[in-house]
Amino acid sequence: MKRELQLTDDGSHTISIPEMQVTYHSTHGAIQESMHVFIQAGLQALQLPAIRIFEMGFGTGLNALLTMQHATTPVYYYAVEQYPLTAAEVEGLSYGNELHGYAWNVDVQINEWFTLHKAHASLLDVQPAQAFDLIYYDAFAPATQPELWTKEVFEKLYGLLDPGGILVTYCSKGDVRRAMLAAGFGVEKLAGPPGKREMLRAQRQMSQH
């Protein structure tokens, strides 16, 4: 499937797949979308001495890069990607591409704040050994990959989170929200990034005693 580099409105790149009519990030601005959805509504919403993050869709590496740049406590970052970018595709990106050079399927400590594990696998197959505080859910939209937005998938994601953990996604579709609720999440709508009215933040409830 052919992938093309595409410039977005804030001057940063995304990757598009013309045949599927999808892009990896918002065409209104890749960096500003990632900052809004994943960093501000996700990373910066948690006050923890250390944070474990699970990302669905390593893609261009942008969410991981921004997390590394904005982390104020140690981060363990576990990203799942079934179809990694090629070296040539990475070369064209307008933001740092250093994270693409590290080995797959092992923990790599990049610096004192940031440890990266890139799992070359599908979300449905992956079985991480630990639980997480935060999930970045950055799969392609439900119209493109409906199998990744079901109640069953959100039940798996719910199980990956520690109690009180949160999941953030750019998607705000009603049926996605209902699938999250059916999986046990508490769900809130937040203002979306430029070009999008709303986004969703879901939380695994704290254990009841």
Side-chain angles (χ1 to χ4, degrees):
M1 200 154 303
K2 191 169 177 346
R3 296 189 289 209
E4 296 177 352
L5 209 58
Q6 183 173 334
L7 205 58
T8 69
D9 291 352
D10 67 0
S12 58
H13 281 116
T14 189
I15 299 278
S16 70
I17 304 178
E19 190 182 321
M20 293 168 69
Q21 295 184 309
V22 294
T23 56
Y24 281 40
H25 301 284
S26 169
T27 55
H28 294 278
I31 286 178
Q32 65 183 6
E33 179 195 39
S34 286
M35 281 297 301
H36 183 100
V37 175
F38 301 109
I39 305 304
Q40 290 158 5
L43 180 69
Q44 293 172 350
L46 291 174
Q47 303 296 316
L48 296 169
I51 296 178
R52 291 154 302 162
I53 298 173
F54 179 93
E55 180 186 27
M56 167 54 205
F58 182 71
T60 63
L62 178 59
N63 297 334
L65 181 70
L66 291 173
T67 300
M68 186 170 75
Q69 291 170 349
H70 289 85
T72 55
T73 57
V75 169
Y76 177 79
Y77 197 101
Y78 187 107
V80 176
E81 178 58 61
Q82 193 169 4
Y83 304 107
L85 298 188
T86 65
E89 288 167 338
V90 168
E91 198 60 41
L93 294 172
S94 55
Y95 32 84
N97 51 26
E98 68 268 24
L99 297 182
H100 290 271
Y102 293 105
W104 287 82
N105 304 313
V106 293
D107 288 358
V108 181
Q109 186 163 355
I110 313 289
N111 58 41
E112 60 180 325
W113 291 105
F114 196 80
T115 299
L116 177 66
H117 184 112
K118 298 185 297 181
H120 187 183
S122 88
L123 172 67
L124 304 179
D125 295 335
V126 79
Q127 297 290 344
Q130 70 283 309
F132 297 90
D133 307 297
L134 174 59
I135 293 175
Y136 292 168
Y137 203 66
D138 206 11
F140 286 133
T144 305
Q145 286 188 308
E147 71 280 5
L148 294 180
W149 300 88
T150 63
K151 172 177 173 273
E152 291 70 29
V153 165
F154 286 117
E155 284 173 342
K156 174 170 183 162
L157 297 169
Y158 189 93
L160 290 179
L161 282 171
D162 267 341
I166 60 175
L167 177 154
V168 284
T169 182
Y170 64 88
C171 184
S172 63
K173 283 177 69 77
D175 49 2
V176 168
R177 184 172 160 275
R178 287 187 286 276
M180 289 176 171
L181 289 167
F185 281 105
V187 186
E188 60 181 325
K189 289 181 181 176
L190 303 177
K196 203 152 175 28
R197 202 159 49 99
E198 295 172 332
M199 59 165 283
L200 294 178
R201 181 163 64 198
Q203 183 170 36
R204 176 171 177 162
Q205 309 303 314
M206 299 298 286
S207 301
Q208 300 295 312
H209 295 293

